[in-house]
Amino acid sequence: MSGAPLLQVTDLKTHFLTREGVVKAVDGVSFSVDDGEIIGLVGESGSGKSVTGFSLIGLIDPPGRIVGGSVKLEGMELVGLPDREMRKLRGARIAMVFQDPMMTLNPVLSIGTQMRLALNAHDRLSRRAADDRAAQTLARVGIPDPRARLQAYPHQFSGGMRQRVAIAIALLHGSRVIIADEPTTALDVSIQAQILSEIRDLARENGTALVWISHDLSTVSSLASRLMVMYAGRIVEAGPVGTVLRAPRHPYTAGLLKSLPAAARPGEPLAQIPGTTPSLLNLPEGCPFRPRCDRASEACAVYPDLVQEDRRSYRCHNPVAATEAA
Amino acid sequence: MSGFILQRLLQAIVIMAVMSVIVFAGVYAIGNPMELLIPPEATQDVRERTIQRFGLDKPLVEQYFLFVKNLLQGDLGRSYIYNEPVLKLIGSRLPATIELVTTAIVGALLLGVPLGIYAGYRPDSPVSRAIMSLSILGFSVPTFWVGLILILTFAVELGWLPASGRGDTVEVFGVGWSFLTLNGWSHLALPATNLALFTFAMMVRLARAGTREVMLTDTVKFARAAGISERVILTRHVLKLISIPIVTVFGLELATTMAFAVVTETIFAWPGVGKLIIDSINNLDRPVMVAYLILTAGAFVTINLVVDIVYALLDPRLRKGHAR
Amino acid sequence: MSWRGSGARSPLRTFWSRFREDRIALVALFVVMIILLLAIFAPWIAPQDPYDLSGLSLRDARRPPGFVGSGGYVHWLGTDAQGRDLWSAILYGLGASLQIGVIAGAIGLVIGTMIGIVAAYAGGRVETLLMRLVDLQLSFPAVLLALVLMALLGQGKAQLITALVAAQYAYFARTAFGAASAERAKDYIEAAMATPLSNARIVFRHLLPNAMPALIVVATVQIANAIALEATLSFLGLGLPVTEPSLGMLISNGVKYMMSGRYWISVYPGIALIILIVSINLVGDHIRDILNPRLAR
């Protein structure tokens, strides 16, 4: 692995061929993730961030399909890989955690059974060895008395504990990359913070890279080192968290930041981005943010190219100047 | 868990009591009980003894308790036609029906659930469409018609299988069973297929609908994300998730299949309880009808009770006292 | 994430445009229409009045399809044991079967809906009592119930319809109750009940309309079931009187000739019965798919 990134995504396109037309949920997304790195992928619902996550792990259900681009894991091309080969990688080298642990864990199988099934997907273990590994992993995510809890069913756990179990399942085979699709959104705020810091520690200990997908800018900024902002199927701004938050160049990022409660002065209403996410079925020509943007100009009728600037990049004809952002 | 069973048991007893009132009302209050219980050609002596035994000259409430008392003592009267205690008569016919119903329903389950899961897993494949067409036919086409077509095809035209009777039986515990001989199986094949078709269709439909729904859930997506193979997802995750509705309906189907056995046994001259009840309806052998009703009601209540308990065993969320 | 464009169209037109998408259901609907017309106009279409015994000749009995009988016309589907033209008997039989199915379905719909809505509206003990009874009956197979009732009540058209209604009303009650009680639980009904609005207004303006779509589906399926049930009872000798043979009785009459190879006496009425039931079921199934939001793509 001579300097090649752990995960390299190039011009990824995932489209849904629906009856009403082609929905370009992901339309030319490129980024890379290094070993042990935590990157955040932020956007409103419908921006294509979850579809990006599922594309990485090869779990796009019809009528969706990856129609172009490349996803390379440790130099190996994943797009176009036969199902059987892809299955061997899932959960072993690249894993995923979902939003609602209530929906992801099987309510009628015990935690132990579900973990054994996940273990046996890649290793042939005796029942005892599997239970040992499962209990060890549960202990690592902070579940007390893990061996006894193997017999328990999901409904006997609290929401936070359930998500810990799901994370433990993702950790079972020591994946190099874990894609986390809003894993704390369904949880209480206090539990959220707890799990966030635990995940950060786990990633650091194991050198696991994380792709953290969220609509919540503040969660991501407390966790990730790099930030990517997605809008209408494309990454519109990317860069180190500090830089992007301090001086956003894309008006959309700036709008998101202004709408955070922390940015408002007490007593004043929160700022909002006018309008709603466009339907991906009939995107406007040119920059899709144009109808909601107060900086839009004639030039925006043409889709903006990626502008590289130091370690950051953005797609905008009329970027916010560094001095403008408060 | 035991509290749950006790609660259901109590419910079952209440339902049984209600049933006994309904049957009593149906037989004694609506129809003419004299006509129902006394053979028309009976002598005056028999007539008087019967009136006394059932207390037909007493008030209705008292009659009801007498009816229940006789019932609890297993006295359901005598058949006019066979001149045997009704209970013994039904008991002698029961094994044939149980054999037929069990073969049909187990076959339907073992074939219907896997095919249904496949049809739900690959809803658009030609095989799935064929399975679904078969199940629509199984639902729509009346049992008796399927039976006739089976006879016409396999017995009359092709001459492969016999159209009636039980064939050679082997005695076990003093009861003859067809399924222990090859010849018995050849007799069992057509009626069992006939009887199984509806349940098969139901199982296919349930398994398909359940699978389709479960396949779209995050549970399956998460299992896939963990690298679990499709085979294991279907046999472990999906099967367990869809088993709850299937078991529930399976229990109810058991009851319905018993009822449809009436039709199938008539067509294939299968000497079971169903044929007995049709014969006794045609011969106005009313004590047999009454007994059949009571026993069927009892069987239903028992089946429902068992289904409830199995349901609780399958769904850990319902098992109380197990959680923290 | 809603990617579906939504145009403002009347619900009926939306329904129809979705119904048209399924070619099989469309064909089935067409077949049901044709059968209805055939049954209604049977006296003008049929070459013979099968109920008029004086017009029958035993010389024409049990003749195979294509036989030219004493009436001078071709018996395309053959004749039965009394020398009846089977095509005519089937046309009249379709009418008898449909009539029973529709009448029993309609009465069951009215009674069942009333029980379901009363239970949902009243709530409390009335609800518990009524719905327990309905559930109890639903666990009891309809065939058996109808069979026993026919045995107790004796034969006849009114008795048959009574038995069919008794065996089927519970499905309507369950459906109506489900839809109405869901609507009843909504805040605006609670609010309306606190005002001097009449009960009838709440029932007819709110509870009933909400139960209608589901009831239509159940009604379609139950008409098909009633027809099948009637045929089964007739086959067992407990259906309509012999003077007015339904499809089930025509089939039953032919069974004893089946073994000797005179298949047509049973088979053609049977095919007519199957086409009728399957078509109604296909239409009902498709309506259910359209109305079921969970399966909407």
Side-chain angles (χ1 to χ4, degrees), chain A residues 22-26 46-48 231-233 277-283, chain C residues 1-3:
Chain A
V22 179
V23 173
K24 299 174 178 175
V26 177
S47 63
Y231 189 81
T277 329
S279 155
L280 291 171
L281 258 176
N282 29 34
L283 282 177
Chain C
M1 275 190 276
S2 169
W3 289 322

Side-chain angles (χ1 to χ4, degrees), chain A residues 2 43 55 61 90 145 157 169 248 257 289 299 304-305 319:
Chain A
S2 53
S55 301
D61 288 325
R90 267 187 234 130
D145 195 10
F157 287 80
I169 290 176
L257 275 170
F289 188 59
D305 289 329

Side-chain angles (χ1 to χ4, degrees), chain B residues 224-245:
Chain B
R224 282 181 173 154
I228 296 173
S229 68
E230 297 294 288
R231 189 181 57 81
V232 174
I233 288 177
L234 286 177
T235 54
R236 301 297 305 272
H237 281 284
V238 175
L239 186 63
K240 193 76 192 274
L241 277 169
I242 64 171
S243 63
I244 293 169

Side-chain angles (χ1 to χ4, degrees), chain A residues 101-121:
Chain A
M102 196 65 182
M103 313 295 283
T104 51
L105 296 175
N106 189 329
V108 293
L109 293 179
S110 72
I111 299 301
T113 308
Q114 298 189 51
M115 294 190 81
R116 265 199 306 282
L117 291 178
L119 277 167
N120 288 327

Side-chain angles (χ1 to χ4, degrees), chain C residues 48-71:
Chain C
Q48 184 192 62
D49 178 3
Y51 298 161
D52 178 15
L53 293 175
S54 63
L56 304 180
S57 162
L58 274 182
R59 267 192 306 156
D60 295 339
R62 298 190 293 277
R63 296 296 189 170
F67 169 79
V68 182
S70 51

